[in-house]
């Protein structure tokens, strides 16, 4: 007789009792073994050619929350038709709804189905319903039959249903009253060799799968039959905890700046328009300042401006250029507009505030933080997103230093090809935009805006040395590196995607 382990023997005998074939769940019941134990036994019995495994795909359905609600109360159209009949077969929509105590959110659906099922004629203008006696609304539809069957059984296997009920499945699925899940049904079947062995009668010897202190102390371990472990058998997939892929890249960006000798700064998320716009020489009628683009706080509406000297200098600079040699924007600067509180739209608000308090060179700081814009969400836009931002102030820094710094930064992120383009920002001159080549996608992608702060920005703050500045969205870079197409995936907590993404992102 072939040597079988205890669980294999039990599984074999259970199969014999089920006349040679049965689904795993049933074998679990009959054998008294755990599900995993039956599965393991099935695997080794299959390699010994004593059983065959059959797999069948099944579609299971169950009620959604709305589905269970309608199962209890009746479909909305059923509730309306019952009430209509109660009211004599002809009544206004309002009366029927009141009689049925139908929730407002179901009304459109209910009316739609009433007419689709032909139970009533609806006079749109008068909002009147009249019962259509030819349609036998008194008979339960297949959708209703399926609904109550599901309510009774909890879940059903679509493949086991009659053809008629299967049609109802797609009806209810479209109405989002049922949810569908795919299942695999595993069945085991004895082979001829398996039958022979089972019939000969197998004697079950106790097997020990764990060496307990008791077995050792009593010396029984000497006689016990130790279960062999198949260390090559597939085990369950384990999903260890890990840092979110986007956070890993954000951490890496921080590390890179630190490696390059920058210090991290952070600032307030709620900021005055003064620091977000005015101090950056962005005129008060600039389109970016409109509500359509910027979130303004409703409460409190206004914040504090800095000391008078700075405010006056900024005002003058906007109005006529002050001592900067510029003509300014030639309008009346309003302190009230500058006091308005907003959600910062870029982290340049953080670096400029820092500069105002650190006027002596050298300054080399960065920030990686969230900013807010009134954007319509889609696959490439978020209303709350990350920006990376940096400034370098020193006695003799130039545009070359700026390009070199960015090149180095990108290189450390694995992006080797960088191009710089002329661009425009109200606060820098010259201004540039950088694009990097992403080999995986074979395309160039725009990343950071940058430039050297204009005198109109520096003079009011009393800064005497050149300041290199750059900033840009981070999510674009993250999705490129992760190969994600929809930016929203980063914040959806899609466990499947998070699990599939490698533990380590560099
Ligand atoms: N603040 C700009 C943006 O949000 C980027 C930028 C920062 C440009 C610093 C120039 C200098 O796009």
């Amino acid at each position: 007789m072939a040597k079988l382990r205890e669980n294999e023997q039990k599984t074999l005998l259970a199969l014999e009792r089920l006349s040679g074939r049965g689904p795993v769940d049933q074998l679990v019941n009959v054998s008294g073994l755990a599900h995993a134990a039956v599965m393991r036994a099935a695997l080794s019995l299959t390699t010994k050619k004593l059983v065959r495994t059959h797999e069948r795909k099944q579609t299971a359905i169950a009620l959604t929350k709305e589905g269970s609600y309608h199962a209890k109360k009746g479909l909305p159209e059923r509730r309306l038709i019952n009430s209509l009949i109660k009211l004599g077969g002809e009544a206004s929509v309002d009366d029927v709804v009141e009689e049925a105590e139908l929730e407002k959110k179901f009304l459109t659906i209910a009316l739609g189905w009433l007419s689709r099922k032909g139970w009533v004629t609806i006079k749109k203008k008068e909002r009147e319903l009249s019962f259509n006696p030819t349609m036998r609304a008194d008979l339960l539809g297949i959708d209703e039959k399926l609904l109550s069957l599901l309510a009774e059984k909890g879940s059903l296997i679509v493949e086991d249903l009659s053809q008629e009920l299967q049609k109802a499945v797609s009806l209810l699925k479209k109405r989002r009253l049922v949810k569908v899940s795919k299942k695999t049904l595993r069945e085991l079947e004895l082979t001829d060799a398996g039958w022979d062995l089972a019939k000969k009668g197998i004697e079950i010897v106790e097997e020990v799968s764990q060496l307990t202190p008791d077995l050792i102390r009593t010396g029984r371990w000497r006689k016990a039959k130790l279960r062999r472990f198949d260390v090559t058998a597939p085990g369950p997939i384990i999903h260890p905890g890990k840092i979110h892929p986007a956070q890993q890249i954000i951490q890496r960006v921080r590390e890179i700046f630190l490696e390059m000798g920058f210090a991290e700064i952070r600032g307030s998320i709620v900021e005055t328009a003064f620091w977000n716009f005015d101090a950056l020489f962005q005129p008060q009628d600039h389109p970016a300042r409109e509500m359509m683009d910027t979130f303004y706080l409703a409460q409190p509406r206004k914040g504090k401006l800095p000391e008078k000297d700075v405010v006056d200098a900024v005002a003058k600079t906007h109005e006529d250029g002050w001592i900067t040699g510029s003509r300014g924007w030639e309008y009346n600067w309003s302190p009230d507009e500058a006091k308005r509180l907003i959600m910062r739209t870029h982290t340049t608000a953080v670096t400029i505030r820092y500069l105002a308090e650190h006027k002596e060179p050298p300054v080399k700081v960065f920030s990686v933080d969230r900013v807010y814009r009134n954007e319509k969400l889609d696959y490439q836009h978020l209303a709350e997103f990350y920006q990376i931002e940096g400034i370098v102030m020193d006695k003799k820094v130039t545009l070359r230093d700026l390009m070199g710094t960015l090149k180095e930064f990108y290189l450390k992120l694995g992006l080797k090809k960088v191009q710089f383009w002329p661009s425009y920002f109200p606060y820098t001159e010259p201004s540039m935009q950088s694009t990097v080549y992403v080999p995986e996608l074979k395309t160039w992608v725009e990343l950071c805006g940058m430039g050297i702060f204009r005198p109109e920005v520096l003079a009011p703050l009393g800064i005497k040395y050149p300041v290199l500045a750059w900033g840009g969205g981070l999510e674009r870079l993250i999705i490129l590196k992760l190969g994600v197409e929809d930016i929203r995936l980063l914040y959806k907590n899609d466990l499947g995607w998070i699990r599939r993404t490698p533990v380590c992102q560099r």
Side-chain angles (χ1 to χ4, degrees):
M1 186 170 100
K3 273 197 192 157
L4 291 189
R5 293 190 219 121
E6 186 185 359
N7 288 353
E8 293 170 351
Q9 292 166 334
K10 282 189 179 164
T11 306
L12 213 57
L13 290 179
L15 260 175
E16 191 201 10
R17 277 176 50 199
L18 293 175
S19 329
R21 180 164 178 152
V24 172
D25 285 343
Q26 219 171 333
L27 285 167
V28 168
N29 286 337
V30 174
S31 66
L33 293 173
H35 191 273
V38 172
M39 290 303 292
R40 264 199 310 271
L43 202 68
S44 51
L45 288 171
T46 312
T47 37
K48 289 176 187 156
K49 301 212 161 62
L50 297 172
V51 307
R52 262 190 297 272
T53 322
H54 304 275
E55 285 191 356
R56 251 198 302 150
K57 298 268 180 249
Q58 285 191 329
T59 321
I61 50 170
L63 290 175
T64 59
K65 218 164 138 207
E66 192 180 334
S68 333
Y69 186 76
H70 292 330
K72 226 184 294 143
K73 305 269 285 190
L75 284 173
E77 65 270 26
R78 170 63 62 198
R79 291 164 65 191
L80 287 191
I81 196 75
N82 285 346
S83 305
L84 181 63
I85 292 170
K86 229 185 192 170
L87 293 174
E90 211 155 306
S92 76
V93 172
D94 291 342
D95 289 348
V96 178
V97 167
E98 196 185 314
E99 171 67 29
E101 291 174 18
L102 188 78
E103 299 76 356
K104 217 171 151 213
K105 59 177 174 190
F106 297 138
L107 180 59
T108 327
I109 304 170
L111 290 176
W113 281 98
L114 270 183
S115 79
R116 211 180 308 178
K117 290 184 176 175
W119 290 351
V120 299
T121 37
I122 303 178
K123 283 193 230 133
K124 281 245 169 70
K125 258 213 215 108
E126 298 87 344
R127 287 178 56 80
E128 280 240 325
L129 301 178
S130 62
F131 180 57
N132 178 0
T134 56
M135 281 313 287
R136 297 303 310 268
D138 53 328
L139 297 180
L140 279 190
I142 45 164
D143 47 353
E144 293 173 297
K145 281 186 197 151
L146 181 61
L147 205 61
S148 61
L149 197 60
L150 269 170
E152 184 192 325
K153 301 255 152 107
S155 83
L156 293 169
I157 302 297
V158 176
E159 287 79 0
D160 295 346
L161 296 176
S162 69
Q163 263 192 350
E164 204 193 11
L165 282 175
Q166 291 198 9
K167 257 187 248 150
V169 171
S170 57
L171 271 178
L172 293 188
K173 210 169 98 183
K174 267 193 224 127
R175 289 182 76 167
R176 304 229 185 103
L177 304 183
V178 300
K179 50 184 180 236
V180 172
S181 54
K182 298 274 178 212
K183 269 194 186 167
T184 312
L185 179 77
R186 285 194 185 79
E187 270 191 349
L188 303 186
E189 185 188 13
L190 284 178
T191 60
D192 289 346
W195 268 117
D196 285 349
L197 199 60
K199 278 209 214 93
K200 267 191 241 150
I202 318 165
E203 188 198 343
I204 296 185
V205 265
E206 196 200 344
E207 250 187 0
V208 175
S209 62
Q210 205 171 8
L211 209 47
T212 58
D214 190 49
L215 282 174
I216 299 172
R217 215 180 308 114
T218 56
R220 274 201 288 132
W221 65 271
R222 287 176 206 281
K223 285 198 216 101
K225 188 159 176 274
L226 288 175
R227 162 115 165 265
R228 297 169 74 93
F229 284 102
D230 178 1
V231 291
T232 63
I237 295 171
I238 293 171
H239 300 289
K242 65 182 178 195
I243 297 173
H244 190 282
Q247 272 307 319
Q248 291 186 41
I249 295 178
I250 291 171
Q251 294 297 3
R252 177 66 194 134
V253 165
R254 286 209 166 90
E255 276 173 27
I256 292 176
F257 277 122
L258 294 173
E259 283 165 16
M260 291 172 66
F262 285 78
E264 181 165 8
I265 57 170
R266 300 194 66 179
S268 160
I269 284 173
V270 172
E271 189 48 281
T272 50
F274 182 87
W275 288 111
N276 195 85
F277 297 122
D278 296 282
L280 290 165
F281 197 51
Q282 203 146 333
Q284 293 187 326
D285 62 356
H286 193 282
R289 294 173 74 138
E290 307 236 329
M291 299 264 219
M292 279 149 52
D293 296 296
T294 301
F295 290 119
Y296 283 84
L297 260 66
Q299 189 66 21
R301 269 172 49 81
K302 290 192 178 160
K304 277 202 199 96
L305 294 181
E307 61 269 27
K308 192 167 174 308
D309 293 355
V310 174
V311 177
D312 287 350
V314 167
K316 281 292 274 173
T317 309
H318 276 241
E319 287 175 358
D320 60 20
W322 192 41
I323 56 164
T324 62
S326 152
R327 280 166 44 202
W329 297 111
E330 303 184 329
Y331 71 105
N332 274 331
W333 187 83
S334 148
D336 276 335
E337 189 60 38
K339 279 183 197 158
R340 294 179 72 180
L341 286 173
I342 60 167
M343 306 288 280
R344 66 175 176 219
T345 64
H346 55 184
T347 37
T348 318
V350 178
T351 42
I352 196 67
R353 237 185 205 278
Y354 183 85
L355 267 184
E357 273 152 30
H358 300 81
K359 302 180 205 274
E360 287 311 311
V363 169
K364 239 180 125 176
V365 293
F366 77 98
S367 126
V368 186
D369 228 332
R370 269 183 266 192
V371 300
Y372 301 81
R373 287 184 199 171
N374 197 355
E375 298 269 9
K376 233 192 159 79
L377 303 193
D378 63 27
Y379 75 105
Q380 45 182 355
H381 293 96
L382 296 167
E384 176 180 15
F385 57 96
Y386 273 89
Q387 274 201 332
I388 47 182
E389 186 92 25
I391 48 171
V392 175
M393 185 244 275
D394 213 340
K395 286 183 181 144
K396 279 184 184 155
V397 286
T398 65
L399 206 62
R400 275 174 176 273
D401 298 306
L402 179 56
M403 293 194 276
T405 304
L406 271 127
K407 270 197 149 165
E408 180 71 15
F409 172 75
Y410 291 136
L411 188 64
K412 282 173 179 275
L413 276 172
L415 302 164
K416 297 194 184 95
K417 285 203 232 168
V418 186
Q419 286 182 335
F420 297 94
W421 301 85
S423 182
Y424 175 79
F425 298 98
Y427 31 97
T428 48
E429 177 60 35
S431 302
M432 291 186 304
Q433 185 73 43
S434 58
T435 49
V436 295
Y437 185 73
V438 185
E440 292 86 3
L441 295 181
K442 297 202 172 76
T443 48
W444 290 88
V445 178
E446 237 175 57
L447 283 182
C448 277
M450 70 195 77
I452 301 181
F453 276 145
R454 301 178 75 106
E456 291 93 324
V457 172
L458 298 181
L461 301 178
I463 291 159
K464 303 200 178 62
Y465 306 98
V467 180
L468 315 177
W470 65 95
L474 185 55
E475 275 83 354
R476 181 110 55 101
L477 185 81
I478 295 177
I479 60 174
L480 286 177
K481 292 204 63 109
L482 294 176
V484 167
E485 264 158 30
D486 188 332
I487 203 162
R488 292 168 293 193
L489 187 59
L490 298 182
Y491 300 110
K492 257 188 18 194
N493 288 333
D494 176 335
L495 270 186
W497 173 71
I498 293 174
R499 284 174 172 167
R500 281 193 303 278
T501 311
V503 180
C504 199
Q505 292 297 331
R506 272 291 127 124

